[in-house]
Amino acid sequence: MPLFRKKRKLDNESLKRGVGLITITDPSSVISEQFRTVRTNIQFSSVDKKLQSIVITSSEPSEGKSTVSSNLAVVWAKQKQKVLLIDADLRRPTAHRTFNILNATGLSSYLTNNAVYEEIIQNTDIPNLSVITSGPVPPNPAELLNSHHVNSLLARLQSEYDMIIIDAPPINTVTDAQLLANKADGVILVVPQGIAEKGSVMHAVEQLKTVHAKLLGTVMNRFKADKAPGYYGGYYGGDYGGYYGVDDKDD
């Protein structure tokens, strides 16, 4: 039996308009509260070491990892933490659209020595939240993300920020997420209900284990309460850890 039974059409809306920031547009909503709960669960997921950097990825494209990354960055910043979001999806970047900032210079610019540290960090309209956009799409994303420049960049950022959230590409499609996963303190896997296939998710977990990444847990998004009565307030557990579901629709 093939691992991936079918191909899905990629959702390109987020590439054109960015992802939805419900934690800004409707901060009192149930979904915004779910994002705050996810934040709290992540904070308490490691008792022996303070989490300062997390990679957020998914098994396949268009599964919502950029929405989760951006909204978690917002709720973390609202906790008066100094937060940095890195758009490390150098193939399908969205952060510059989401936060309405420029993308002429970003992560790829720094990794190719075309920009210095001070040039790639941009403030947003949200207090305590800064962003490093992807920068121009390079021909060799995996090679750049595997360079020593990434290690030195993260080391410097960790001395200046309370939390670094890295929006990484889907783990089953390219090696980029694996390269980033073992550089961060932990990894969150986004799993959309009714879309992600079990074999694909299992394969993503194995890919993370291969590089000895610390899988903190999963976020089940695009959740519909009528498919699992009583879910709100519960966990999505199993072999991948457990966090609250999020009913989002963007990537």
Side-chain angles (χ1 to χ4, degrees):
M1 180 182 293
L3 180 62
F4 311 123
R5 296 193 295 268
K6 58 185 178 181
K7 291 185 177 179
R8 301 195 306 269
K9 183 179 179 181
L10 297 183
D11 180 4
N12 291 317
E13 280 302 303
S14 60
L15 299 181
K16 301 174 184 176
R17 302 178 184 178
V19 300
L21 290 177
I22 192 167
T23 49
I24 293 295
T25 59
D26 193 0
S28 61
S29 67
V30 171
I31 302 172
S32 294
E33 180 59 31
Q34 290 169 339
F35 276 115
R36 289 189 287 270
T37 301
V38 171
R39 176 200 64 201
T40 301
N41 287 342
I42 294 173
Q43 289 173 321
F44 285 97
S45 64
S46 180
V47 295
D48 56 341
K49 179 184 178 182
K50 179 185 176 182
L51 292 174
Q52 198 174 1
S53 59
I54 56 173
V55 165
I56 298 181
T57 185
S58 57
S59 58
E60 303 293 332
S62 297
E63 291 190 339
K65 49 93 181 172
S66 293
T67 299
V68 172
S69 299
S70 297
N71 280 281
L72 276 181
V74 170
V75 295
W76 233 296
K78 286 187 173 183
Q79 204 179 32
K80 297 185 179 179
Q81 299 281 300
K82 191 176 181 184
V83 180
L84 179 75
L85 173 68
I86 302 177
D87 190 347
D89 194 338
L90 302 183
R91 303 164 196 265
R92 292 169 56 84
T94 59
H96 61 292
R97 302 286 188 193
T98 300
F99 294 95
N100 194 28
I101 54 180
L102 298 176
N103 193 35
T105 302
L107 181 60
S108 65
S109 311
Y110 179 84
L111 298 179
T112 53
N113 296 312
N114 288 313
V116 297
Y117 180 85
E118 292 76 13
E119 293 177 308
I120 62 172
I121 299 175
Q122 300 186 61
N123 295 325
T124 69
D125 293 333
I126 302 160
N128 305 312
L129 178 57
S130 300
V131 173
I132 295 180
T133 65
S134 67
V137 176
N140 56 341
E143 183 178 329
L144 292 182
L145 294 174
N146 197 33
S147 73
H148 69 278
H149 290 303
V150 175
N151 295 332
S152 59
L153 175 62
L154 287 176
R156 182 168 180 180
L157 291 170
Q158 286 178 342
S159 70
E160 299 183 14
Y161 289 89
D162 299 310
M163 174 54 68
I164 301 163
I165 297 176
I166 304 170
D167 179 2
I171 197 161
N172 286 341
T173 57
V174 290
T175 61
D176 304 18
Q178 281 182 287
L179 295 172
L180 292 165
N182 67 356
K183 301 179 188 296
D185 295 332
V187 180
I188 299 296
L189 187 64
V190 175
V191 180
Q193 184 192 42
I195 296 176
E197 297 177 356
K198 182 177 180 180
S200 182
V201 175
M202 297 277 290
H203 186 257
V205 172
E206 289 304 315
Q207 294 284 81
L208 291 170
K209 288 181 179 179
T210 299
V211 296
H212 306 290
K214 183 177 182 179
L215 181 57
L216 301 173
T218 62
V219 171
M220 177 176 278
N221 63 333
R222 303 181 191 181
F223 178 80
K224 300 300 180 186
D226 57 354
K227 294 183 180 179
Y231 181 84
Y232 287 102
Y235 288 90
Y236 173 63
D239 295 333
Y240 320 123
Y243 292 114
Y244 283 82
V246 177
D247 180 19
D248 72 299
K249 297 183 174 66
D250 301 309
D251 184 18

